[in-house]
Amino acid sequence: MRHLFMLLLPALFALPAAAQEVEKPERRVIPERKQETGLFFESKFDSGNDNEDYTQIGVNYKYWLKRNMGLRFSLSWTEFNTGNGANNNYYNIIKVPNDTVSFTSQEKNMQYAAISGGLEFQRAFYKRFYLYAGADLRLGYGAGYTDESQTDVYYSQNGYYQSTQGINRYDLQSFMMGMSPFIGAKYNGRRMVFGLELVQLSTFSFVKEDRYNTTTSNVDMDWGITRIYLNYKF
């Protein structure tokens, strides 16, 4: 028994040493992805109140200089429509004989191609949910037309009826530049980013109208613009 113990004793001391020689598995390091790109959709959620339809689609790219600060760029296509309403100066009522009321109206339709670039600052809110803010500089060129129509309303003892017909169509061209500050929230996954932001767009534009063969300048401020986007990180 004594000889058996003497034989086993060196093996007992060798076991811890052998265990120490086993290499520990390396911890997987997730690389930091500084770039992302994807698609976005923009629209005005209060467009029904001011008789304007604003829709924009495009692609965007972001490059993160630091963990909480990055550059962002986008290319976009915008459909813009302005109809009649209390907030537009395109409404004219004319009273004519024989119990008839006529009024003329205008509707502008524009398509814009635009490029923008700016800075975005983000801060972690809860786990992978982030809050962010920043501002973009936008430049765009657009073309479209103005449709002018006339509606006649005929009154009689039995009621009334109306008819509408187009009168003229005038071509438009526009160059636009503007600043758009924004705030938003996003889910920042390992590969995908889903975000929602509110945008305030202030623009200065030159509009050329063939009807008068003149160029006018306009300053506009649009509130209530919403952007939704989905990006892929790489």
Side-chain angles (χ1 to χ4, degrees), residues 73-87:
F73 305 92
S74 68
L75 293 172
S76 61
W77 179 262
T78 304
E79 294 278 348
F80 181 79
N81 173 272
T82 301
N84 290 290
N87 295 331

Side-chain angles (χ1 to χ4, degrees), residues 25-168:
E26 295 184 1
R27 185 177 180 181
R28 183 182 177 185
V29 179
I30 301 176
E32 182 180 1
R33 299 181 175 90
K34 294 186 176 182
Q35 303 180 75
E36 57 184 80
T37 186
L39 303 175
F40 71 87
F41 172 80
E42 233 179 56
S43 183
K44 289 185 66 174
F45 62 78
D46 65 343
S47 60
N49 296 328
D50 54 14
N51 299 284
E52 291 183 353
D53 290 327
Y54 171 93
T55 303
Q56 183 181 96
I57 58 174
V59 295
N60 68 83
Y61 168 81
K62 297 182 182 181
Y63 181 82
W64 293 98
L65 303 172
K66 300 178 181 180
R67 182 177 295 272
N68 294 325
M69 182 180 74
L71 299 172
R72 53 186 257 167
F73 305 92
S74 68
L75 293 172
S76 61
W77 179 262
T78 304
E79 294 278 348
F80 181 79
N81 173 272
T82 301
N84 290 290
N87 295 331
N88 300 306
N89 298 320
Y90 312 132
Y91 192 77
N92 183 27
I93 297 179
I94 306 172
K95 290 186 177 181
V96 297
N98 301 323
D99 296 327
T100 302
V101 176
S102 298
F103 62 89
T104 60
S105 59
Q106 294 180 2
E107 181 177 320
K108 288 187 176 182
N109 295 272
M110 296 286 292
Q111 295 82 39
Y112 278 94
I115 183 173
S116 67
L119 282 173
E120 180 178 317
F121 301 90
Q122 67 176 10
R123 180 173 294 274
F125 176 69
Y126 177 74
K127 294 185 177 180
R128 290 191 173 275
F129 290 93
Y130 283 69
L131 300 178
Y132 65 93
D136 290 329
L137 176 65
R138 299 191 184 191
L139 297 173
Y141 172 80
Y145 56 87
T146 297
D147 276 338
E148 188 176 49
S149 61
Q150 177 175 317
T151 300
D152 300 317
V153 182
Y154 304 94
Y155 292 91
S156 66
Q157 295 180 351
N158 298 324
Y160 71 93
Y161 67 95
Q162 67 181 39
S163 64
T164 302
Q165 61 180 351
I167 301 175
N168 291 300

Side-chain angles (χ1 to χ4, degrees), residues 162-179:
Q162 67 181 39
S163 64
T164 302
Q165 61 180 351
I167 301 175
N168 291 300
R169 171 172 287 191
Y170 308 101
D171 291 332
L172 300 172
Q173 291 182 333
S174 176
F175 173 77
M176 175 271 295
M177 63 181 300
M179 180 67 68

Side-chain angles (χ1 to χ4, degrees), residues 182-231:
F182 57 85
I183 58 173
K186 63 183 177 181
Y187 175 77
N188 193 8
R190 290 187 177 181
R191 281 289 187 179
M192 306 301 295
V193 182
F194 175 76
L196 173 67
E197 65 186 57
L198 299 178
V199 182
Q200 188 274 316
L201 178 59
S202 301
T203 60
F204 178 78
S205 61
F206 295 97
V207 180
K208 181 181 179 181
E209 298 187 69
D210 288 348
R211 174 174 47 172
Y212 304 114
N213 196 25
T214 58
T215 301
T216 59
S217 59
N218 300 306
V219 177
D220 296 308
M221 295 185 66
D222 287 321
W223 301 86
I225 298 176
T226 306
R227 173 181 288 197
I228 300 174
Y229 67 89
L230 181 65
N231 283 354

